[in-house]
Amino acid sequence: MNRIINLLRNSHHILVVAHNNPDGDAIGSLIALGLSLDVLNKKTTLYNESPIPAVYRFLPSANRIVQHINNTHFDVAVILDCSDLKRIGDAASMVSKIPVIVNIDHHVTNTRFGHFQFIDTSACATAEIIYRFIKKMGVPINKDIATSIYTGILTDTGSFRFSNTNRLAFEICQEMVEVGVDPYDIAKQVYGTYSLGRIKLLNLALDSIEITNNGKLSIMTLTQDMFDKTHTRHEDVEGFINYARNIEDVKITALIKESCNSKGDKGGVNTFHISLRSNGTVDVASIASTLGGGGHPNAAGFSTESTLSDIKSILFEIAEKV
Ligand code: AMP
Ligand code: MN
Ligand code: MN
């Protein structure tokens, strides 16, 4: 940690990046680190390939996150919440030319890319690690930084319900509340704002649930047609997987999302993202790794160019071995 902090203190222009299709931890960590580097008078660019999901746009300085990088004269890139450099998207090739890459993450499948790594798989969120960095850097935590850290921990622990919820999750969040964070305010922003389209999409998603013959694997499918019909986007799916996950006796859940930019008649072949969840008895990170993705033991994912029926066949095969 000290080596990374010294490196940041001695750099001029730092690029801070989190994974594409960001969640609350990716955005929260990105902003919290960016605001802390401001206090150290560092020049930073905060980057994400994807638009910021509507529910996270309330975060302070969310509008500072850019979707394009013009300046290429960075001396350091800090990559957050990514098990693999590819997770940042198309910018990976440009970023890999930056002289120093720092990898800060909590995924068990982290490939240890970059020149410096700080990977702690026992951390509940990357935001927890960023909190520890901020403390070590001696940066005072203001309400904006606190809001970002709180949101990262709240969302990555599923509101303190998932297995990664640890003592520090509560301790840090308590401190963030003492700094001025209002838990009700953040909960309303993150969980309390549903568009009508999102409810209609949920209806379609619930109707799509299938369960394998042995009852151990459930599948929820969201096609591009469903997004089109309900005027929704991938970000609106956040949390849906839990309905399929909480069905009794189900050990693994898969949520299949068809990608929005891959329409066209290619014999049903399209880009799909598959999110996997486990009830704690099966390691989905290793399943996702064998399919080109990664994640945590109970929450992982992968993307593939395939057909819906081929993806389901793979999932049914997995179910048989459970
Ligand atoms: P999601 O599929 O977006 O619900 O993600 C669940 C977890 O798996 C998160 O911690 C992600 O960072 C991780 N994950 C999802 N897709 C990938 C991927 N293609 N490669 C590596 N990790 C992934
Ligand atoms: Mn994440
Ligand atoms: Mn995370």
Side-chain angles (χ1 to χ4, degrees):
M1 183 176 274
N2 285 330
R3 284 172 73 198
I4 294 175
I5 291 173
N6 283 337
L7 175 81
L8 296 176
R9 281 190 195 282
N10 293 320
S11 14
H12 298 286
H13 192 170
I14 304 164
L15 177 71
V16 191
V17 190
H19 62 79
N20 61 11
N21 300 316
D23 47 31
D25 188 28
I27 306 281
S29 303
L30 184 58
I31 294 176
L33 182 60
L35 295 178
S36 310
L37 292 171
D38 288 350
V39 178
L40 300 181
N41 288 318
K42 292 293 149 193
K43 187 171 177 201
T44 56
T45 295
L46 310 185
Y47 170 80
N48 200 283
E49 179 177 88
S50 314
I52 307 304
V55 292
Y56 301 124
R57 280 188 216 136
F58 78 98
L59 284 170
S61 297
N63 57 1
R64 252 179 69 184
I65 302 172
V66 295
Q67 263 179 280
H68 299 280
I69 314 172
N70 304 318
N71 188 321
T72 48
H73 302 293
F74 302 103
D75 39 8
V76 180
V78 183
I79 316 297
L80 301 172
D81 203 37
C82 293
S83 53
D84 194 311
L85 187 59
K86 281 187 301 205
R87 292 278 288 146
I88 68 171
D90 289 343
S93 57
M94 186 286 269
V95 168
S96 57
K97 296 191 189 99
I98 296 174
V100 183
I101 294 178
V102 179
N103 165 2
I104 299 178
D105 185 36
H106 67 132
H107 291 93
V108 286
T109 53
N110 193 289
T111 58
R112 308 197 72 83
F113 66 87
H115 305 94
F116 293 87
Q117 299 90 12
F118 191 95
I119 294 142
D120 183 353
T121 57
S122 70
C124 64
T126 299
E128 175 194 317
I129 303 175
I130 296 301
Y131 166 88
R132 283 148 57 185
F133 267 88
I134 292 172
K135 285 283 169 178
K136 198 76 173 212
M137 292 191 293
V139 170
I141 297 185
N142 58 30
K143 189 178 170 189
D144 286 354
I145 294 177
T147 302
S148 309
I149 291 174
Y150 183 96
T151 303
I153 294 178
L154 177 76
T155 54
D156 246 30
T157 59
S159 306
F160 311 104
R161 286 172 302 160
F162 298 158
S163 56
N164 57 337
T165 308
N166 55 12
R167 186 180 52 79
L168 268 180
F170 292 103
E171 254 181 50
I172 297 171
C173 286
Q174 177 181 358
E175 187 182 330
M176 301 305 104
V177 171
E178 281 160 4
V179 171
V181 166
D182 179 352
Y184 179 54
D185 233 27
I186 296 188
K188 270 191 298 186
Q189 297 282 356
V190 175
Y191 303 115
T193 29
Y194 278 70
S195 63
L196 179 61
R198 192 173 175 215
I199 296 288
K200 302 268 185 203
L201 184 70
L202 175 61
N203 192 32
L204 298 175
L206 294 176
D207 209 29
S208 79
I209 295 176
E210 300 164 72
I211 292 191
T212 54
N213 286 338
N214 63 8
K216 291 183 178 159
L217 186 141
S218 60
I219 304 175
M220 183 184 261
T221 307
L222 287 159
T223 62
Q224 187 53 45
D225 265 354
M226 296 180 187
F227 289 107
D228 291 345
K229 266 192 204 133
T230 55
H231 307 289
T232 51
R233 292 183 293 192
H234 279 197
E235 65 184 67
D236 292 302
V237 175
E238 184 107 11
F240 284 12
I241 196 168
N242 294 317
Y243 289 97
R245 172 192 216 168
N246 294 339
I247 299 170
E248 57 183 348
D249 299 331
V250 162
K251 292 180 188 290
I252 308 182
T253 300
L255 182 145
I256 308 173
K257 269 185 305 197
E258 190 172 20
S259 191
C260 28
N261 51 17
S262 55
K263 258 199 135 182
D265 193 11
K266 292 183 276 177
V269 174
N270 241 334
T271 307
F272 292 88
H273 181 82
I274 296 93
S275 299
L276 298 173
R277 298 291 183 270
S278 144
N279 69 347
T281 59
V282 181
D283 177 2
V284 287
S286 62
I287 295 176
S289 288
T290 63
L291 296 164
H296 308 286
N298 291 344
F302 65 97
S303 294
T304 180
E305 285 260 327
S306 187
T307 63
L308 204 47
S309 63
D310 282 353
I311 294 169
K312 286 188 182 175
S313 308
I314 292 171
L315 295 172
F316 282 119
E317 254 173 59
I318 292 169
E320 275 166 29
K321 292 183 208 133
V322 177

